[in-house]
Amino acid sequence: MIIRGGLFDALLATVALIQRDMVLFSVNSSIVLFLAWLVYYLRKKKNYNVIAIFGTIVTGVYYLFLIAHGGVEETAYLWVLTYPLIVLYLLGKYLGSLLSFAVFVLSAVVFFLGSEFDIFQYYSIRPIYGNCCSGKNVCKSIQGKGAKTRGS
């Protein structure tokens, strides 16, 4: 999963470079390097819990950047919909819910401050909250599968 994410981020970094969006290119390239470091650390130390926690926190910050940046025609917010699925699967119900809620609240701040600050993308509508609420059953299903995988 880490390697696949790195390959897609490398592709997205290339697209950002072609579009001459140097901020997005820099962030995507940094994420590719971070994912390469995660793979190295995982193989060297085999400390899955540290990788899961640290990786999901960095992923949450990355997704918040994508929301603030906006993407092409305000579509970057869609990536944050995958975050609860990832953290509930990797970290379980308690910590996964806590991190998902933190990203949800911080994304709300970005949405509502988008019209106040030029550094944030302004979203004319706020569709993410309905999407997040409708994904509740999917999150519960994924969380149950993660618990079985972790042996909890």
Side-chain angles (χ1 to χ4, degrees), residues 29 35 45 59 103 118 122 127 141:
S29 298
L35 291 174
K45 303 286 184 179
T59 301
V103 168
D118 290 336
Y122 173 71
S141 171

Side-chain angles (χ1 to χ4, degrees), residues 64 67-68 105-115 120-121 123:
L64 288 171
I67 291 171
V105 167
L106 292 172
S107 67
V109 169
V110 171
F111 278 132
F112 291 113
L113 293 180
S115 62
F120 292 151
Q121 171 68 37
Y123 290 90

Side-chain angles (χ1 to χ4, degrees), residues 26-74:
S26 299
V27 171
N28 280 341
S29 298
S30 299
I31 292 296
V32 169
L33 293 174
F34 171 73
L35 291 174
W37 177 82
L38 277 183
V39 169
Y40 170 77
Y41 184 83
L42 185 62
R43 293 194 182 265
K44 185 104 171 144
K45 303 286 184 179
K46 301 206 183 303
N47 193 343
Y48 299 103
N49 291 332
V50 169
I51 292 295
I53 292 170
F54 191 57
T56 54
I57 289 172
V58 171
T59 301
V61 172
Y62 175 57
Y63 283 2
L64 288 171
F65 164 78
L66 289 177
I67 291 171
H69 186 269
V72 179
E73 297 193 23
E74 301 176 4

